[in-house]
């Protein structure tokens, strides 16, 4: 269909997020499950941010970056889950075109920022393990602030460029997205316009903005593993690996699900699998990350227990 033919038809004013349309009998159950996940995720990530702010022992570059990551995960879950919860509760699966584009931009911005934050955290781990004598020189507060600010800035550029070109496409036909959120590939599939250039732009932007932080993360951990293997004692190896194991798990889960979601063939047979992986990628990762850092990190657990003791002390004083 040509662009002229499209303009002669009525433009699409809203999209329909099909989501869990095949599970109509489980809508209330799914609503309760995702509500618990939403509340737990926001509470856990907010708790980490608060601990990083109030505990002076966590005023280090690694925990400053972790606080940024937790803030990002809170924003990420708030972009996807509230609308999903409303859809499950009311049955209204529509979303306006502007709302869909806004969700696409903000979520793309957060995903891009997370790539850079994880790269910055892996570089921090590299300096701590491979260059411990130079750590305080390179990872000073000013440079750490620049890393965080640069991560947020770089994260917003690619989706802004992509969204500008996506908004030039014409949507005049089907308006059903077989997902529970707005994603770039399903949107381009719905367009009546020629999308070859936009698809090419999407690929170029992904390579330019996502590949560098991924390669930096990969290189950092290659150097870290090589350094750990050269440590003669088993105790030294275990101690060195324990300092970066939490972040390594987070990186593996993040990039693993990211690659499955966007590199998995978009065939009908794999559509349901892609939807499940997308669910893990958008909903479960923001929940898992704070649990990994809190359960596997001694400093975070000590800060949490200290905060709990202080709260208990204040309550006792108030009763007296």
């Amino acid at each position: 269909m040509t662009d002229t033919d499209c303009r002669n038809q009525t433009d699409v004013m809203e999209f329909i997020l099909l989501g869990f349309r095949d599970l109509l009998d489980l809508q209330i159950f799914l609503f309760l499950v995702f509500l618990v996940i939403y509340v737990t995720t926001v509470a856990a990530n907010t708790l980490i941010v608060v601990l990083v702010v109030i505990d002076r022992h966590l005023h280090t570059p690694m925990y400053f970056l972790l606080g940024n990551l937790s803030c990002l995960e809170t924003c990420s879950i708030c972009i996807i889950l509230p609308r999903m919860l409303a859809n499950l509760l009311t049955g209204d699966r529509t979303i306006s075109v502007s709302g869909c584009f806004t969700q696409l931009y903000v979520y793309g911005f957060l995903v891009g920022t997370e790539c850079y934050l994880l790269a910055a955290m892996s570089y921090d781990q590299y300096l701590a393990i491979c260059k411990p004598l130079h750590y305080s020189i390179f990872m000073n507060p000013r440079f750490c602030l620049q890393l965080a600010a640069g991560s947020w800035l770089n994260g917003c550029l690619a989706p802004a460029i992509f969204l500008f070109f996506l908004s030039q496409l014409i949507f005049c036909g089907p308006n059903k997205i077989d997902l529970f959120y707005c994603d770039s590939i399903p949107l381009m599939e719905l367009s009546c316009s020629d999308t070859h250039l936009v698809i090419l732009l999407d690929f170029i932007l992904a390579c330019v903005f996502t590949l560098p932080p991924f390669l930096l993360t990969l290189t950092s951990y290659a150097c870290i593993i090589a350094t750990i293997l050269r440590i003669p004692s088993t105790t030294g190896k275990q101690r060195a690996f324990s300092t970066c194991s939490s972040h390594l798990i987070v990186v593996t889960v993040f990039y693993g699900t990211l690659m499955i979601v966007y590199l998995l063939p978009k065939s009908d047979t794999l559509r349901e699998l892609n939807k499940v992986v997308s669910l893990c990628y958008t909903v479960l990762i923001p929940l898992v990350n704070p649990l990994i850092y809190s359960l596997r990190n001694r400093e975070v657990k000590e800060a949490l227990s200290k905060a709990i003791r202080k709260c208990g002390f204040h309550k006792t004083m108030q009763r007296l």
Side-chain angles (χ1 to χ4, degrees), residues 194-208:
D194 184 2
T195 59
H196 288 89
L197 289 178
V198 181
I199 293 173
L200 178 61
L201 175 67
D202 189 24
F203 175 76
I204 293 173
L205 290 174
C207 291
V208 171

Side-chain angles (χ1 to χ4, degrees), residues 159-304:
I161 297 171
F162 174 74
L163 189 64
F164 172 77
F165 286 92
L166 182 68
S167 63
Q168 307 305 309
L169 298 180
I170 300 170
F171 298 91
C172 58
N175 65 339
K176 295 181 180 179
I177 300 175
D178 195 15
L179 274 175
F180 48 88
Y181 67 102
C182 292
D183 198 14
S184 58
I185 296 176
L187 274 175
M188 287 188 287
E189 290 176 348
L190 294 178
S191 175
C192 304
S193 306
D194 184 2
T195 59
H196 288 89
L197 289 178
V198 181
I199 293 173
L200 178 61
L201 175 67
D202 189 24
F203 175 76
I204 293 173
L205 290 174
C207 291
V208 171
F209 285 91
T210 307
L211 201 56
F214 172 71
L215 292 178
L216 176 60
T217 303
L218 202 62
T219 304
S220 297
Y221 272 101
C223 296
I224 289 172
I225 293 172
T227 301
I228 291 176
L229 292 177
R230 288 197 297 267
I231 298 176
S233 67
T234 303
T235 304
K237 290 179 180 178
Q238 292 176 346
R239 186 180 297 112
F241 185 74
S242 65
T243 61
C244 63
S245 58
S246 297
H247 184 254
L248 182 58
I249 293 172
V250 169
V251 167
T252 303
V253 172
F254 174 76
Y255 278 110
T257 52
L258 183 67
M259 289 178 180
I260 293 174
V261 168
Y262 291 104
L263 297 182
L264 197 69
K266 304 300 183 239
S267 62
D268 293 336
T269 55
L270 296 175
R271 189 175 297 276
E272 293 304 318
L273 176 60
N274 185 69
K275 192 181 296 186
V276 172
V277 178
S278 297
L279 182 66
C280 297
Y281 173 65
T282 55
V283 175
L284 295 184
I285 285 183
L287 171 64
V288 170
N289 283 355
L291 296 180
I292 291 174
Y293 279 110
S294 61
L295 294 177
R296 297 183 59 86
N297 193 295
R298 180 175 55 84
E299 288 86 355
V300 173
K301 288 191 288 187
E302 288 178 355
L304 179 59

Side-chain angles (χ1 to χ4, degrees), residues 2 16 18 43 81 95 102-103 107 117 119 125 134 224 236 240 257 285 300 304:
T2 65
I16 300 175
L18 298 180
L81 265 185
I95 181 173
T102 301
Q103 187 185 68
Y107 191 71
L117 280 177
Q125 297 290 337
H134 301 88
I224 289 172
T257 52
I285 285 183
V300 173
L304 179 59

Side-chain angles (χ1 to χ4, degrees), residues 85-142:
L85 291 171
N87 293 347
L88 289 170
L89 189 62
T90 64
D92 181 12
R93 296 184 175 87
T94 60
I95 181 173
S96 65
V97 173
S98 60
C100 189
F101 282 3
T102 301
Q103 187 185 68
L104 175 65
Y105 170 75
V106 175
Y107 191 71
F109 158 55
L110 295 174
V111 170
T113 302
E114 186 163 359
C115 290
Y116 283 94
L117 280 177
L118 291 177
M121 294 173 75
S122 65
Y123 180 67
D124 174 81
Q125 297 290 337
Y126 163 76
L127 290 177
I129 295 175
C130 302
K131 307 285 184 182
L133 298 179
H134 301 88
Y135 179 82
S136 58
I137 299 175
F138 289 110
M139 212 64 182
N140 55 69
R142 181 180 178 183

